[in-house]
Amino acid sequence: MAEGGILESLLNDDAYRPPEPKTLEDTGISPVLIEALMLKHVLQVGSITGRDLAKRMCLSFSLLEDLLTALRSRQLLVHKGTAGPGDFFYTLTELGAEQARATMRSCAYVGPVPVPLEDYILSVDAQTIRAEPVLKRQLEAAFADISVPTEMLELLGPAINSGAGLFLYGAPGNGKTLIARRITKCFGQPIWIPRCICEDGLFIKLYDSAFHEPVTNSEQGFLKSSSGDPRWIKIRRPTVVVGGELTMDSLEVHHDPILNVSEASLQMKSNCGCLLIDDFGRQRVEPAALLNRWIVPLENRQDFLTLATGKKIQVPFEQLIIFSTNLDPNDLADDAFLRRIPYKIEVGDPSVEEFRGLFEIFCRSVGCPYSPQAVDYLLDVHYRPFRRPLRRCQARDLLTQIKNYCCYNGIPVQLRPDLLDRVVKSYFTAVSGK
């Protein structure tokens, strides 16, 4: 290994790092496709320098120089002016604009040069969440600022390390969704994903800002992302959350027939991270249909998807899948499926001591002095006589209402019995605890 390679391996802790392509062949994408993409970029902006075009396409300028020359020789591009040493402003000829518009009509994708599907598959295998075991201290750090019993953490740790998925079940309001979202924070190592994938002539957009959080240069340390393939982006391990809006179509590659561009499935977007099915059992499709869709992927860690061309592709199914539900898992799934989700963890109601602790925590968050006497009053007057169950969300919700009332009346935020009387009346009228 060269000296530079040794240095990079010492300073870079990535399990996988896509190398920057040195030739067009290294991109894995046909030069014809890259040329078509170049023309669409120029059509979109009107005039652009070669280096700016390379930046938009996430390739080095040296890789595009020969293609720019070829497009000029075919009278599809012309120079509009000098843009610096070895570079020019480029614009389309009439013939080039006509070809670019025709290409745009056949496929409206304009963005970075895609990555071959096989490169994406290799990256997922190299960065699987199962290759990064969670230690007790990491789990405790991820949940440090929220109230989770030690016994719960002892159950969660092995379940996370199994990579086999789990059910979080219990009454609403006890933090199942919050716990599921925090699980991904246990994994410290970021991952690389391609912005776009190409297979069978189709563009499949993978990067989704709704689910993928980029790692900034300052967070990456000494070696920055520029030393890798710019068609890829470094992100934190993703947590993809879907609830009642989940449909069977969400689990397939979605294709826009007008733009002729595809969008990756939820499973692909959550690879190397977590897929949280929130409020499971409340979707518009039957739970059995959703579960049957996942039986084979959970068993084989592989998923089969159908492209718009009719071609079936095999992609990794490498995420921790979490089902959060208010219902008993035994009422939602049969034994065959429950066997594939070996961990079922109940998120129960807080104890009285934990309930007091939650009030103390949220008093600090709203800038309110904590009053144990006020919490005793709340329990004696508004909970025990009505046999209302304690829920972890209630301290936050009641204190938020007190804060809103005090703000409206221009008085300091305080935890007082008379204020609790006021907010409990409106809170439990809308949200019955019986």
Side-chain angles (χ1 to χ4, degrees), residues 66-144:
D66 288 344
L67 294 181
L68 287 167
T69 301
L71 291 172
R72 278 192 66 219
S73 68
R74 303 207 306 268
Q75 298 184 343
L76 300 175
L77 286 179
V78 292
H79 289 168
K80 196 177 180 181
T82 303
D87 196 8
F88 302 90
F89 284 94
Y90 292 90
T91 189
L92 294 170
T93 65
E94 186 175 336
L95 179 62
E98 182 181 338
Q99 185 167 323
R101 284 192 288 267
T103 306
M104 187 74 81
R105 285 194 294 271
S106 65
C107 175
Y109 175 81
V110 181
V113 172
V115 169
L117 177 64
E118 54 265 31
D119 289 0
Y120 167 68
I121 292 173
L122 288 173
S123 75
V124 174
D125 291 341
Q127 300 176 112
T128 173
I129 200 168
R130 293 181 293 165
E132 190 183 349
V134 170
L135 303 178
K136 183 176 182 178
R137 56 180 173 78
Q138 293 171 310
L139 191 63
E140 291 173 344
F143 288 87

Side-chain angles (χ1 to χ4, degrees), residues 159-399:
I160 295 169
N161 280 337
S162 74
L166 66 141
F167 269 104
L168 292 177
Y169 69 98
N174 277 331
K176 297 185 296 298
T177 302
L178 178 61
I179 289 171
R181 286 177 178 271
R182 286 300 179 97
I183 284 175
T184 315
K185 289 192 174 184
C186 305
F187 302 94
Q189 191 177 61
I191 62 170
W192 290 89
I193 65 168
R195 301 168 192 267
C196 184
I197 298 168
C198 185
E199 175 63 14
D200 203 28
L202 289 178
F203 293 88
I204 306 169
K205 293 190 290 184
L206 179 67
Y207 173 71
D208 188 336
S209 59
F211 302 124
H212 299 142
E213 182 182 357
V215 176
T216 62
N217 282 345
S218 60
E219 295 174 288
Q220 293 183 44
F222 182 78
L223 289 176
K224 304 298 189 290
S225 61
S226 58
S227 59
D229 188 338
R231 295 177 299 165
W232 298 66
I233 184 169
K234 195 174 189 178
I235 64 167
R236 290 184 170 84
R237 290 192 182 271
T239 298
V240 174
V241 182
V242 288
E245 75 280 7
L246 178 65
T247 63
M248 297 298 286
D249 288 342
S250 306
L251 309 179
E252 305 298 332
V253 174
H254 175 71
H255 184 73
D256 187 325
I258 299 175
L259 300 178
N260 199 22
V261 179
S262 296
E263 185 88 14
S265 65
L266 291 175
Q267 304 94 291
M268 292 178 69
K269 292 180 180 181
S270 65
N271 267 332
C272 303
C274 291
L275 175 59
L276 168 60
I277 313 301
D278 201 13
D279 206 14
F280 182 63
R282 310 290 187 189
Q283 283 71 31
R284 286 176 287 177
V285 295
E286 287 296 321
L290 288 171
L291 296 176
N292 288 335
R293 172 64 180 79
W294 278 313
I295 281 184
V296 173
L298 282 167
E299 185 77 21
N300 302 328
R301 313 301 298 188
Q302 296 289 331
D303 197 13
F304 293 91
L305 302 170
T306 304
L307 301 181
T309 59
K311 179 180 179 179
K312 284 193 175 292
I313 60 172
Q314 181 175 324
V315 295
F317 189 82
E318 284 290 348
Q319 66 282 103
L320 178 66
I321 187 166
I322 303 172
F323 297 91
S324 172
T325 180
N326 301 332
L327 308 173
D328 189 324
N330 291 299
D331 296 333
L332 292 170
D334 58 21
D335 291 342
F337 188 84
L338 292 176
R339 178 172 55 82
R340 291 169 172 84
I341 304 287
Y343 290 90
K344 298 90 176 171
I345 299 175
E346 183 178 10
V347 183
D349 297 337
S351 64
V352 172
E353 291 73 20
E354 186 181 353
F355 192 68
R356 295 177 192 275
L358 288 166
F359 264 94
E360 193 168 1
I361 291 171
F362 287 112
C363 276
R364 289 195 295 269
S365 71
V366 300
C368 168
Y370 173 64
S371 170
Q373 294 81 10
V375 177
D376 287 341
Y377 171 84
L378 175 68
L379 291 169
D380 290 339
V381 174
H382 294 292
Y383 276 84
R384 293 188 180 104
F386 299 95
R387 297 183 179 180
R388 284 193 173 111
L390 305 180
R391 300 282 191 260
R392 289 186 175 82
C393 66
Q394 291 166 350
R396 176 202 62 204
D397 294 347
L398 292 172
L399 281 166

